[in-house]
């Protein structure tokens, strides 16, 4: 695994855990419940990793975009009336699941 990919995943995990993922998308949104919901946490990571693009050496080229897409889904999970724009594609949402 490329060191930059490890860093991107570690940063994403830190931001999820400390409440700052996707800032400002989730500003003032309490998503602490998702930390207790294994399937929601799994989906959050699926979206993040499905959206990540890697260069020929395996380094991420769009970690911020992948974080934003995951944060948009998380906001919709917490606030059912939130509209993701553009909507998540099937590849982003389901692309690499099992």
């Amino acid at each position: 695994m490329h060191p930059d990919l490890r860093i991107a995943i570690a940063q994403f995990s830190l931001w999820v855990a400390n409440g700052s993922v996707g800032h400002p998308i989730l500003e003032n949104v309490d998503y602490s419940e998702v930390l207790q919901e294994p399937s929601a946490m799994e989906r959050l990571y699926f979206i993040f990793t499905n959206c990540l693009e890697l260069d020929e050496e395996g380094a991420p080229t769009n970690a911020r975009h992948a974080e934003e897409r995951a944060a948009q889904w998380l906001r919709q999970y917490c606030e059912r009336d939130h509209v993701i724009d553009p909507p998540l594609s099937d590849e982003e949402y389901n692309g690499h699941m099992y």
Side-chain angles (χ1 to χ4, degrees):
M1 182 184 295
H2 194 283
D4 290 349
L5 180 55
R6 286 186 186 139
I7 290 168
I9 293 170
Q11 275 187 324
F12 181 74
S13 298
L14 173 67
W15 293 332
V16 168
N18 76 11
S20 64
V21 71
H23 186 76
I25 295 167
L26 290 163
E27 191 170 23
N28 299 318
V29 175
D30 178 13
Y31 62 83
S32 58
E33 71 181 66
V34 80
L35 300 177
Q36 305 302 317
E37 182 67 39
S39 63
M41 186 67 92
E42 179 182 41
R43 177 64 58 189
L44 182 66
Y45 274 84
F46 271 128
I47 293 168
F48 176 70
T49 57
N50 285 345
C51 291
L52 271 178
E53 294 177 4
L54 307 177
D55 66 17
E56 60 280 344
E57 295 176 6
T61 61
N62 68 338
R64 178 64 183 160
H65 171 75
E67 176 195 356
E68 289 171 350
R69 296 301 280 164
Q72 290 170 345
W73 174 82
L74 183 54
R75 182 164 176 189
Q76 186 177 58
Y77 180 87
C78 295
E79 298 177 350
R80 300 293 182 191
D81 62 337
H82 175 73
V83 176
I84 300 173
D85 187 28
L88 290 172
S89 70
D90 188 54
E91 185 174 290
E92 289 175 306
Y93 191 75
N94 294 315
H96 301 290
M97 286 187 69
Y98 310 109

